[in-house]
Amino acid sequence: MPVQTSRRPPSLDPGAPGRMPPNIPTQPGPSGRGPGNRKKRTKRKDPLWARLTLIFGAVLMMTSGVAIVGSKAVIGQATSSIQQGSLLGDAGKSEAEGGKNLDGPIDMLLLGVDARASWAADDVRSDSIIILHIPASHDQAYLISIPRDTEAEIPGHGTEKINAAFQFGAQNGGGWEGGAQMMAKTIKQMTGISFDGAAIINFGGFKKVIDSLGTVRICVSQEVKSKHMSYVDGKPRWNSDAEKLGKPMTPVVHKKGCKEMEGWEALDFARQRYGVEGGDYGRQQNQQQLIKAMAKKASDSGMLTNPIKLNQIIKAAGESLMLDTGGVKVEDFVFTLKGLSGNDLVTLRTNGGTYATNSSGRESLNDLSRQMFKAVKEDKLADFVAANPEVLSTRK
């Protein structure tokens, strides 16, 4: 499989005048899937082992980051409580694609589900679908969201919106594992991408993770009225719960500007798509912004360099998180990415951030997005982004 060089594309150099400083991920060397003599980028002067890897936080909803605070034994202890499952099925990388070898490019499927206690276990769709691509140089990482309404051929179920794949797989006792396997299989069929790992987090657990960080700094680009929450007696509540109280309700409004948000507020904002410019595409960018904000807060606060605090973050995810590292030990997976930091996370847009339709009038991936996924599969994404900077997210 062709592997892109680890150099940062000159056209996207953060130091170049007039250039946008995207955190473009470069790619690590080898191990069966890439050359082993690749030069690595000069490391930042971060404290040793204090760098944020994009596995955990990205894993925490799509989140970003478990920090390497010591040896593999320390990492293993910190991550031992994470629920693991078989989320990839036939969509995992074959031996010819690298199998369990993590020296080459790494691709993870990150799914966010809204599974409320009152809902049946098999009546859940994945409304947040993100591919995390780490090039073979392992010194950068990309997040690419797939629109929830994208038309896709779901194996055994015909043509449907792609978020239905999770629901189909979860039915008849399939649960989260069956849902993720069907989603991974659908995406592989659509893009050609096979995966090294996958993670699912329920949005309720996502809130707890943010709360464990305290707050996260989010910049709202336009005022938006929440479709999900209102204030009752000054306290935020789900609209369905607020209505039962029979008291005056004041809609939650996310006003334009930057601020520190608590878990409930950050999560509510990241879930809005009605009234948001670009609809679901705007929501995707807001979710990606939240991931980066979480990674930055965890890294800057020192939580990820402290084993005790790290355990608190992992515990916050609780039963809301499920992880599949493709048969590789979690500590090995994390240790492989020890050179990554929150600043190495690049967020990309499908369809240029706008609704795209096919001949049937349904949402689909345009040609540029299909080329982008092809670049992921071939580990040439940095070169693709350099040639097509319009795919970069406009959110900071």
Side-chain angles (χ1 to χ4, degrees), residues 3 35 67 80 140 156 215 257-258 282 378 390:
V3 177
S80 61
Q140 291 185 328
T215 60
C258 300
E378 297 178 349
E390 63 269 31

Side-chain angles (χ1 to χ4, degrees), residues 361-379:
R362 297 177 178 176
E363 188 165 14
S364 62
L365 297 178
N366 62 19
D367 289 340
L368 187 63
S369 293
R370 292 185 181 280
Q371 292 172 31
M372 179 165 62
F373 286 119
K374 183 175 184 290
V376 170
K377 178 177 174 57
E378 297 178 349
D379 197 20

Side-chain angles (χ1 to χ4, degrees), residues 13-20:
D13 186 343
R19 298 289 183 187
M20 178 185 298

Side-chain angles (χ1 to χ4, degrees), residues 9-252:
S11 62
L12 291 171
D13 186 343
R19 298 289 183 187
M20 178 185 298
N23 310 311
I24 295 290
T26 33
Q27 315 171 344
S31 132
R33 282 187 278 167
N37 56 359
R38 178 170 289 123
K39 290 184 178 180
K40 296 218 175 183
R41 204 170 51 176
T42 302
K43 298 292 183 183
R44 298 172 185 74
K45 295 180 180 179
D46 297 337
L48 186 62
W49 305 122
R51 300 181 182 90
L52 183 66
T53 73
L54 296 172
I55 281 297
F56 198 57
V59 150
L60 297 182
M61 123 106 166
M62 284 124 343
T63 358
S64 146
V66 115
I68 299 193
V69 295
S71 65
K72 287 186 181 180
V74 172
I75 300 167
Q77 182 178 9
T79 58
S80 61
S81 62
I82 297 177
Q83 182 182 4
Q84 297 190 54
S86 176
L87 307 181
L88 294 174
D90 296 337
K93 285 187 177 174
S94 65
E95 288 301 315
E97 294 173 308
K100 298 179 181 180
N101 189 338
L102 297 179
D103 290 338
I106 295 173
D107 297 293
M108 287 195 71
L109 175 61
L110 309 175
L111 303 173
V113 300
D114 192 357
R116 302 178 192 176
S118 60
W119 295 0
D122 61 357
D123 188 24
V124 178
R125 293 192 176 203
S126 177
D127 286 342
S128 294
I129 308 165
I130 294 180
I131 293 177
L132 169 66
H133 174 70
I134 299 169
S137 51
H138 294 183
D139 58 357
Q140 291 185 328
Y142 301 87
L143 291 178
I144 307 174
S145 295
I146 296 179
R148 50 168 275 169
D149 291 339
T150 301
E151 184 179 69
E153 183 68 26
I154 301 175
H157 298 277
T159 302
E160 298 282 351
K161 293 180 180 179
I162 195 169
N163 71 334
F166 193 94
Q167 183 180 37
F168 286 134
Q171 292 174 348
N172 301 315
W176 278 19
E177 290 179 301
Q181 288 178 19
M182 182 64 76
M183 179 65 76
K185 188 174 182 179
T186 300
I187 293 175
K188 180 177 180 179
Q189 180 173 279
M190 183 172 66
T191 66
I193 298 171
S194 299
F195 297 98
D196 297 275
I200 311 174
I201 191 166
N202 184 3
F203 286 123
F206 188 39
K207 174 186 175 298
K208 293 178 182 178
V209 174
I210 300 173
D211 287 340
S212 73
L213 294 172
T215 60
V216 289
R217 183 171 177 77
I218 297 295
C219 292
V220 180
S221 60
Q222 66 170 113
E223 183 173 302
V224 58
K225 177 181 175 181
S226 174
K227 296 292 183 181
H228 310 295
M229 301 189 76
S230 297
Y231 292 107
V232 176
D233 294 334
K235 296 182 179 180
R237 295 180 180 275
W238 291 107
N239 287 337
S240 57
D241 294 331
E243 291 168 355
K244 297 176 183 177
L245 299 177
K247 295 183 177 183
M249 297 166 55
T250 302
V252 169

